[in-house]
Amino acid sequence: MEQQQTKIGRTGRWAGSARAGSPDGEPVAARARRHEGSADVHPRRHSEPVAARARRRGGPVAASLLALTVAVSGCAASQGSASTAAPAGRTAERTAPERSAAPATQPAREAAADLPAPSAVIPKDPARLARALTDTTARLRRAIDDWIRDGDPAEGRAPEPVVLLALHQQRIYRHLARNPKTASRTYPGLSKALAGEAEANVTAGRNLLSLVHPVSRPARFRVREPEPADVLLKHFRHAERRFGVDWEVLAAVMFVETKFGRVRSPSHTGAKGPMQFMPGTWAAYGMGGDVHDTRDALLAAANYLRASGAPRDYRRALYAYNHSWAYVDAVRLHARQIKRDIRNYYAYYNWQVFVVTTRGDRRLTGP
């Protein structure tokens, strides 16, 4: 896996949405970019059910909160065009990528010249936003269909059309999440189905952004490529079969926590791994596994959620995972979108990580 270590200066902060005047479109590899996605790093707590005392304070939300801080689940909307200047005091280091990180080679139907640039300007007018979101979502779904049919989501990265269209979709939603009035005027211009989906994504993004605290001091964040989409899907479904917790809920938690494992840094409270477990909670529910191993972490998360009330009461279980109703509602909204159309899972999988700073968001992953 390709790993990056990024340093954010004093004005940096973990967050999942882009801020006005921020270099929204720059990748860490190319001049320190910020992650945009559901994984904005935000602080969260993991507490155990009444039966156990092992409590963790930085679970899923810590990751997402971490990811929120780093990249608010990508739902936060970015505003304005992205600057290409690298923020002061920020560096990125990468190790040699593994073979599995190679881009998918399946033919793409979308013409490269027509794909949105990572830093493409997001419209401000509601009518134009509605058209942009409609077009981007339709093209993204076609690209995902091509990827599933002609490529192999179990191997390597998604093809370029999927990556760029998903990032553009994410940035639109981040903008809408930060601008409620604009969002309410954009929904009427969408089809009924897309309006419902958009409102769910915007609400989830706004909820997660409410948990984010800007980074104001120099900080280093470790990020890397996630495991292939269908490898993760296999892990989700395995955990579902073993503990009876919906795989879509596990996927939504991982999405919010660490953007499917992209964020590798521990939370400020000490939560670790792709599902952000505190040591005490891991000792109680990790079943002797490795907190940094994706399969082990997902089994532990399913084990913990089951012990906390799932699948009978997901709200209670998710609240035990992170003591925030905003977090709970965001996870459930994302899970419902994945359950409604599995292509939303593949879209979320390609949302990136952003860090919220006092000078704006910085994208840490992506093209």
Side-chain angles (χ1 to χ4, degrees):
M1 283 291 180
E2 176 180 281
Q3 290 204 33
Q4 301 172 353
Q5 189 173 72
T6 303
K7 181 178 181 180
I8 303 297
R10 293 183 179 178
T11 58
R13 67 172 171 180
W14 284 105
S17 60
R19 305 264 173 175
S22 67
D24 184 327
E26 280 183 39
V28 169
R31 302 182 183 175
R33 262 182 168 169
R34 66 175 181 179
H35 270 285
E36 185 168 56
S38 188
D40 286 76
V41 178
H42 39 40
R44 118 205 227 274
R45 299 180 181 179
H46 213 184
S47 66
E48 299 187 1
V50 178
R53 295 182 178 178
R55 213 171 178 178
R56 74 174 186 175
R57 301 182 64 183
V61 171
S64 354
L65 291 177
L66 169 67
L68 273 180
T69 291
V70 167
V72 168
S73 200
C75 264
S78 57
Q79 299 182 0
S81 58
S83 164
T84 57
R90 180 177 179 182
T91 61
E93 297 179 1
R94 293 186 174 189
T95 58
E98 297 181 359
R99 292 182 182 179
S100 61
T105 57
Q106 132 271 344
R109 294 187 177 183
E110 295 285 350
D114 295 332
L115 294 172
S119 58
V121 175
I122 302 300
K124 302 299 186 296
D125 175 71
R128 292 180 59 204
L129 274 167
R131 289 194 295 271
L133 183 57
T134 298
D135 177 69
T136 300
T137 300
R139 295 176 66 194
L140 175 57
R141 286 176 177 165
R142 290 196 298 269
I144 289 172
D145 288 339
D146 291 345
W147 180 27
I148 294 172
R149 182 184 61 251
D150 304 326
D152 187 357
E155 293 289 339
R157 299 172 182 169
E160 184 180 44
V162 174
V163 173
L164 291 176
L165 289 165
L167 174 58
H168 196 62
Q169 180 194 57
Q170 178 187 13
R171 293 180 60 230
I172 291 174
Y173 279 132
R174 289 173 67 90
H175 176 74
L176 294 174
R178 287 193 175 281
N179 296 275
K181 291 183 178 179
T182 300
S184 65
R185 294 169 58 195
T186 299
Y187 300 144
L190 304 173
S191 67
K192 183 177 180 180
L194 183 54
E197 178 179 319
E199 188 168 4
N201 281 324
V202 170
T203 300
R206 192 175 302 143
N207 284 355
L208 294 176
L209 282 172
S210 73
L211 303 176
V212 174
H213 298 289
V215 172
S216 58
R217 297 179 179 180
R220 288 183 181 277
F221 302 113
R222 288 183 293 114
V223 296
R224 75 171 193 181
E225 291 288 336
E227 294 185 37
D230 277 5
V231 171
L232 290 179
L233 185 57
K234 180 180 179 181
H235 293 329
F236 293 140
R237 286 175 167 161
H238 174 65
E240 178 185 53
R241 287 191 300 271
R242 181 164 176 179
F243 290 100
V245 176
D246 289 348
W247 77 262
E248 295 92 345
V249 171
L250 294 170
V253 169
M254 191 180 190
F255 170 57
V256 171
E257 288 301 333
T258 60
K259 279 291 187 296
F260 294 112
R262 286 179 172 85
V263 178
R264 306 304 294 180
S265 298
S267 74
H268 73 287
T269 58
K272 299 179 180 180
M275 299 300 281
Q276 289 290 286
F277 272 95
M278 289 296 288
T281 310
W282 182 260
Y285 298 95
M287 301 175 289
D290 179 355
V291 71
H292 297 291
D293 180 81
T294 299
R295 182 175 182 275
D296 290 350
L298 285 169
L299 286 171
N303 183 20
Y304 181 81
L305 290 171
R306 177 61 180 259
S308 301
R312 183 182 65 262
D313 189 343
Y314 278 112
R315 278 180 63 79
R316 175 189 172 193
L318 289 168
Y319 187 77
Y321 203 90
N322 176 32
H323 284 356
S324 165
W325 292 116
Y327 172 89
V328 170
D329 291 342
V331 169
R332 295 181 73 205
L333 285 167
H334 285 313
R336 287 171 189 161
Q337 292 305 306
I338 296 172
K339 188 180 289 287
R340 187 181 65 79
D341 187 335
I342 195 171
R343 288 177 296 186
N344 288 326
Y345 162 67
Y346 291 103
Y348 290 153
Y349 173 81
N350 286 284
W351 282 20
Q352 304 301 326
V353 177
F354 282 81
V355 174
V356 174
T357 78
T358 54
R359 292 184 178 179
D361 290 356
R362 297 293 183 273
R363 181 156 60 84
L364 303 182
T365 60

